[in-house]
Amino acid sequence: MPRPPGAVSARRALRGRRAALRSSPDSTWAPTLRRSIRLLREFRHESADPDRFYGALAEDSVQMLRQYHSLEGATLLDVGGGPDYFRDGFVDAGANYYSVDVEAHELDESSNHRVVGSGMQLPFRSGSVDIAYSSNVLEHVCAPWVMAEEMLRVLKPGGLAFISYTVWYGPWGGHETAPWHYLGGMRARRRYRRKLGVEPKNRFGESLFGVTVRDGARWARRQQVAEVVDLTARYNPAGPSSSCASRSSGR
């Protein structure tokens, strides 16, 4: 596919920004093995102490996103943001934070930054946000690439879409039914119900879908309204891609 105008210069600028971050004494983020192990250890607390796990993940997300776009003063939309696990991290980094989710999550007067809606039909104007961010949501959407297209739609020219999801053929692809999902999503779901007497929280075919690395790479590479600036593993120091950053070209 022909490169969109400015693609080479944008990639050079990104490489320069990464080099500056690595050489900066204030930059603590790097995709090292130590970082991966730390996040894996924190994952053990997801059920018992979700604030601890998602707090660590939010801190890591802030540092990772800074590689691609300044957060200071940026309007950031968290698609599938849930009960505000990421809000404090992004607000502390200087972003104007908004989130959209299909569930209300105890909305009150202080929740004016939260909107109830579908990621597949975002209730935001086209060209209204600087950053569209989504973490571990795409695999729960029946039409994941419709949601991804919506995230591009709401971006301002030069804005950034960051999409991270749990890949189906990874060790946690079946969520609580893993590793039996390797034998088939419905089979893993039936086994869970038979063993525990209840349906899994993430029900394959209803609230969990098999989204692969190939799906994401194919969607990203066919884009004409945005330039792909990175396809990379989200949590691993190296390995298959599981996150994608795209910059709107404004065309």
Side-chain angles (χ1 to χ4, degrees):
M1 181 175 78
R3 290 176 177 172
V8 175
S9 60
R11 289 193 180 95
R12 286 174 179 167
L14 177 60
R15 286 198 295 270
R17 177 164 174 74
R18 284 178 170 169
L21 281 165
R22 285 195 294 269
S23 63
S24 171
D26 297 327
S27 178
T28 58
W29 190 91
T32 61
L33 178 61
R34 177 178 295 181
R35 171 245 184 190
S36 298
I37 292 173
R38 178 176 62 84
L39 290 176
L40 183 61
R41 286 175 174 168
E42 293 295 339
F43 180 72
R44 296 178 300 175
H45 303 282
E46 181 189 18
S47 298
D49 190 359
D51 288 344
R52 172 175 173 171
F53 168 68
Y54 286 106
L57 188 56
E59 179 184 353
D60 184 81
S61 298
V62 167
Q63 295 297 328
M64 189 176 189
L65 217 59
R66 277 174 167 161
Q67 288 190 105
Y68 308 104
H69 198 292
S70 172
L71 297 177
E72 185 65 38
T75 300
L76 184 147
L77 175 61
D78 186 353
V79 182
D84 276 356
Y85 285 128
F86 289 89
R87 179 176 183 259
D88 289 347
F90 284 124
V91 169
D92 289 346
N96 299 311
Y97 178 90
Y98 297 90
S99 69
V100 60
D101 199 276
V102 293
E103 298 181 12
H105 295 292
E106 300 179 0
L107 292 172
D108 56 31
E109 301 83 31
S110 63
S111 303
N112 56 5
H113 61 280
R114 290 158 68 181
V115 178
V116 177
S118 169
M120 293 179 288
Q121 193 173 6
L122 291 172
F124 286 80
R125 296 194 313 271
S126 298
S128 59
V129 304
D130 298 298
I131 301 172
Y133 170 88
S134 179
S135 176
N136 296 348
V137 175
L138 213 66
E139 70 269 23
H140 301 292
V141 178
C142 63
W145 307 114
V146 172
M147 184 183 111
E149 294 287 347
E150 275 289 276
M151 291 176 65
L152 294 183
R153 178 185 65 78
V154 300
L155 284 181
K156 297 177 182 177
L160 178 79
F162 182 93
I163 304 170
S164 175
Y165 59 93
T166 305
V167 297
W168 180 247
Y169 292 116
W172 304 111
H175 288 48
E176 65 269 39
T177 68
W180 302 100
H181 69 290
Y182 285 121
L183 301 178
M186 291 305 298
R187 183 173 180 178
R189 177 178 171 179
R190 288 193 298 268
R191 180 186 180 277
Y192 187 98
R193 185 172 60 235
R194 185 172 65 251
K195 291 289 184 180
L196 299 181
V198 295
E199 285 274 15
K201 174 185 176 183
N202 299 285
R203 300 180 300 280
F204 183 79
E206 296 180 32
S207 58
L208 179 65
F209 303 88
V211 188
T212 66
V213 171
R214 184 175 64 178
D215 294 337
R218 182 181 296 158
W219 171 81
R221 287 168 181 156
R222 72 168 185 251
Q223 290 307 312
Q224 296 183 1
V225 298
E227 174 203 353
V228 180
V229 295
D230 215 348
L231 286 168
T232 183
R234 170 71 188 277
Y235 303 113
N236 302 339
S241 299
S242 58
S243 64
C244 167
S246 300
R247 193 176 303 281
S248 171
S249 64
R251 297 188 296 123

